[in-house]
Amino acid sequence: MRFKLWFVLLAAVCILSACEKEETNNGTTNSSGKVVSSESLERQSSNQETQLSDDMNEVISNYIIQKYDSVSSQTEKQFEVHEVYGTSESSGIITVYMHSYFGGFNKFSGLENQAGHSLPAVIRLKKKAAGYVVTEYIEPKDGSLYQSSLKKMFPKKYLDMLHNKSGNLEDLQKEMDEKVQQWLDE
């Protein structure tokens, strides 16, 4: 009887310990399921930042528009603009730390956004023969997990930039308005 009680207690401690370890893990899960911290990703990458080409920016926007197509099905046209805080590259994968502004619009409502989001995100691109493809897209979690998920997603230097820019995204709004206005004028 004592053996069973000790066994149950030991199993409970192991389970609780594993749960606590997962909650406190300061990392993000990559596509292979391995937990990797943003700091270790940054250390693995070269110190040289990758400048995004127009093609890369277009791939990012198209991916996000396609991802949220079902959410904005009541709109005629969707647009995405983003501000890049920085990039890193490791093993041929380019990680882009950014703020995304996505919106769905209708001609009758003009520049008024009908559906969308404005949020920080991390997107990973890989060069293929036909261009770039998205290998991973990460957004912060909602509610009380928001801040901790940002810390897992962004290296400190980009996290600081994100916090300094928070609430000051007029440039993205102007860029979005220009895209929408061009569409309205067609």
Side-chain angles (χ1 to χ4, degrees):
M1 181 70 172
R2 270 191 165 167
F3 176 75
K4 288 181 183 178
L5 180 61
W6 280 106
F7 181 75
V8 169
L9 288 173
L10 181 60
V13 168
C14 289
I15 290 170
L16 290 174
S17 174
C19 289
E20 181 178 321
K21 181 179 179 185
E22 181 147 333
E23 284 178 12
T24 60
N25 190 337
N26 189 19
T28 185
T29 304
N30 67 14
S31 56
S32 65
K34 183 178 176 186
V35 175
V36 182
S37 74
S38 55
E39 287 81 11
S40 79
L41 284 174
E42 185 178 25
R43 281 191 300 271
Q44 291 172 6
S45 68
S46 64
N47 289 333
Q48 181 179 8
E49 293 218 357
T50 303
Q51 291 292 358
L52 297 187
S53 66
D54 289 343
D55 289 342
M56 295 164 89
N57 282 309
E58 187 175 343
V59 165
I60 291 169
S61 290
N62 289 342
Y63 178 86
I64 293 170
I65 289 169
Q66 185 178 16
K67 178 176 176 55
Y68 286 100
D69 185 46
S70 62
V71 173
S72 58
S73 61
Q74 301 299 318
T75 60
E76 296 172 56
K77 184 80 172 164
Q78 300 80 38
F79 299 94
E80 191 276 342
V81 295
H82 49 271
E83 177 180 359
V84 175
Y85 297 122
T87 63
S88 63
E89 187 170 350
S90 178
S91 303
I93 302 292
I94 299 165
T95 302
V96 181
Y97 304 96
M98 64 183 207
H99 190 100
S100 171
Y101 176 32
F102 165 79
F105 298 86
N106 292 315
K107 291 220 178 207
F108 73 86
S109 59
L111 295 175
E112 187 178 327
N113 191 341
Q114 301 299 302
H117 70 241
S118 176
L119 50 78
V122 174
I123 196 162
R124 292 192 171 88
L125 304 171
K126 183 172 182 137
K127 177 82 169 146
K128 296 283 187 176
Y132 290 91
V133 294
V134 174
T135 62
E136 188 174 26
Y137 176 74
I138 307 167
E139 294 177 351
K141 297 185 190 282
D142 291 334
S144 63
L145 298 175
Y146 182 79
Q147 289 300 327
S148 62
S149 64
L150 281 180
K151 287 180 183 177
K152 292 175 185 175
M153 293 168 53
F154 285 85
K156 182 164 178 23
K157 67 181 178 179
Y158 302 135
L159 191 59
D160 291 344
M161 291 172 70
L162 184 145
H163 288 310
N164 291 336
K165 290 264 186 180
S166 184
N168 188 19
L169 298 168
E170 292 90 13
D171 291 342
L172 283 179
Q173 183 64 53
K174 286 178 188 174
E175 187 178 349
M176 179 68 81
D177 288 349
E178 288 171 9
K179 280 187 169 188
V180 173
Q181 191 61 55
Q182 184 178 8
W183 170 67
L184 291 171
D185 292 342
E186 291 175 351

